[in-house]
Amino acid sequence: MPDLSQVIPRTASPHDVLRAALGALEAGRRVVLASVVARHGSAPSTPGQKLCLFEDLTAIGTIGGGAVERAALGMMGRALDELVSTPKLETFRLGPSLGMCCGGSVEILIEPMLPAAHVLVIGAGHVGAFAAPLLASLGFRVTLCDARAAAADPARVQLPAPLAGALPAHDRAQEEPGPALGEQVRVVLADHDDPEVTADMPRDLGEAAALVMTHDHGLDQAAIEWALARGFGYVGGVGSRAKAARTRARLEAKGVAERDVARVRMPVGVDIGARTPAEISVALAAELVAWRAGRRRARWMPAASAPAGEEQAE
């Protein structure tokens, strides 16, 4: 539990607090936000005031100062230390328990926030071009890389027509979903190990996922080895059970640690009998959603082997 007794938040307006919180989340850092929801009787807090606590234990904003702010910072620190927690509405009574004599009470919403999970999709073939925007539509920050210029064409990365047509009519009328969704995917013309590929990703790649689905088995092997070495928290590969067995055998032959070999999810995806690029994308997206949920509960455990397609990588 971090010691927050000496933390003095930097004064800022609620709007600036929100901007600072969003900036930290965009940079891949966790934050905890506190907002004054209601005040009853005599109290120093005003509804709408906001306070944000960052990973480095600095803070910005105010929810009234004094003992109530110190008490709230303590709760915010516990939420930050636990990595994850659900939002909680806390009532602070400004009496003897806080060393205060105001006599009123304050309701404060404490919200832990995690940055969007990053996913690196290595290979912009049929599955990659379909999976990348699908993952983006589910709230992931997606980087799609391929060293082939024709494959790494952003125009290929859009919500496929069957899904676009399934959207409500009013959504289709506002904006064409395909191109807009494609803009949420960062497409990089580069090999997986080029520095620009991970330039927009968090420093701690243990908070990110790598999905390997290139057009070449040898390149798949190299990309998986690279992803393990870089410490991606989740490493998955598209391919058959036979290919998965060969991949693991090659990793073992190269002296890759057993715990890392066991981390490779291949064939990747929930077992839904997927065969087409669209079906495989749905299967692997479902597994990534489960991984993200487990990561946010801080207790992700690899699922049992669940194939999603046989050799449908390109």
Side-chain angles (χ1 to χ4, degrees):
M1 170 64 194
D3 179 13
L4 299 174
S5 61
Q6 303 303 311
V7 173
I8 301 177
R10 177 166 60 87
T11 303
S13 70
H15 288 88
D16 288 335
V17 172
L18 290 174
R19 276 191 283 267
L22 180 59
L25 290 169
E26 290 290 333
R29 296 191 291 272
R30 292 171 289 137
V31 302
V32 181
L33 185 69
S35 304
V36 179
V37 175
R39 175 183 62 194
H40 306 283
S42 179
S45 305
T46 301
Q49 287 182 313
K50 297 186 185 299
L51 173 68
C52 184
L53 179 66
F54 302 99
E55 278 187 346
D56 63 359
L57 303 186
T58 60
I60 182 174
T62 182
I63 49 174
V68 66
E69 193 159 282
R70 288 195 299 274
L73 276 169
M75 292 185 175
M76 295 166 74
R78 284 192 290 275
L80 193 66
D81 191 48
E82 291 168 1
L83 178 64
V84 289
S85 179
T86 54
K88 293 180 180 179
L89 185 63
E90 299 285 351
T91 299
F92 296 85
R93 304 191 183 282
L94 312 186
S97 62
L98 289 178
M100 300 180 72
C101 57
C102 299
S105 64
V106 178
E107 293 179 38
I108 296 175
L109 179 64
I110 296 177
E111 299 178 274
M113 298 180 177
L114 288 173
H118 284 250
V119 179
L120 172 60
V121 179
I122 302 173
H126 296 299
V127 177
F130 198 116
L134 178 59
L135 289 167
S137 75
L138 295 170
F140 292 94
R141 294 189 64 177
V142 182
T143 297
L144 174 65
C145 73
D146 201 303
R148 301 170 297 166
D153 179 359
R156 297 181 62 246
V157 183
Q158 54 184 302
L159 193 65
L163 289 185
L167 294 175
H170 61 82
D171 288 344
R172 295 199 303 272
Q174 290 176 0
E175 189 171 29
E176 287 297 323
L181 198 53
E183 292 169 4
Q184 298 178 31
V185 179
R186 178 172 170 259
V187 182
V188 183
L189 174 60
D191 287 312
H192 61 272
D193 54 356
D194 287 338
E196 60 266 36
V197 170
T198 54
D200 195 44
M201 303 189 77
R203 286 168 295 183
D204 179 9
L205 291 176
E207 298 293 306
L211 293 175
V212 179
M213 52 191 79
T214 80
H215 60 290
D216 179 84
H217 286 203
L219 186 55
D220 281 352
Q221 184 76 32
I224 287 173
E225 292 174 13
W226 171 84
L228 290 172
R230 288 298 308 271
F232 277 85
Y234 179 102
V235 179
V238 172
S240 66
R241 291 184 180 88
K243 179 179 175 181
R246 291 194 298 271
T247 297
R248 294 188 176 95
R250 292 183 181 118
L251 291 172
E252 292 168 354
K254 290 191 173 185
V256 175
E258 183 178 343
R259 65 179 179 276
D260 282 334
V261 176
R263 289 202 302 115
V264 178
R265 294 286 301 147
M266 187 177 189
V268 67
V270 175
D271 188 0
I272 59 172
R275 298 292 300 179
T276 69
E279 292 171 345
I280 294 169
S281 298
V282 169
L284 64 85
E287 186 165 313
L288 262 291
V289 168
W291 167 75
R292 179 176 61 186
R295 163 181 167 265
R296 291 182 173 179
R297 291 193 300 267
R299 59 171 183 261
W300 165 255
M301 293 294 290
S305 180
E310 305 281 320
E311 297 297 328
Q312 183 67 52
E314 170 51 7

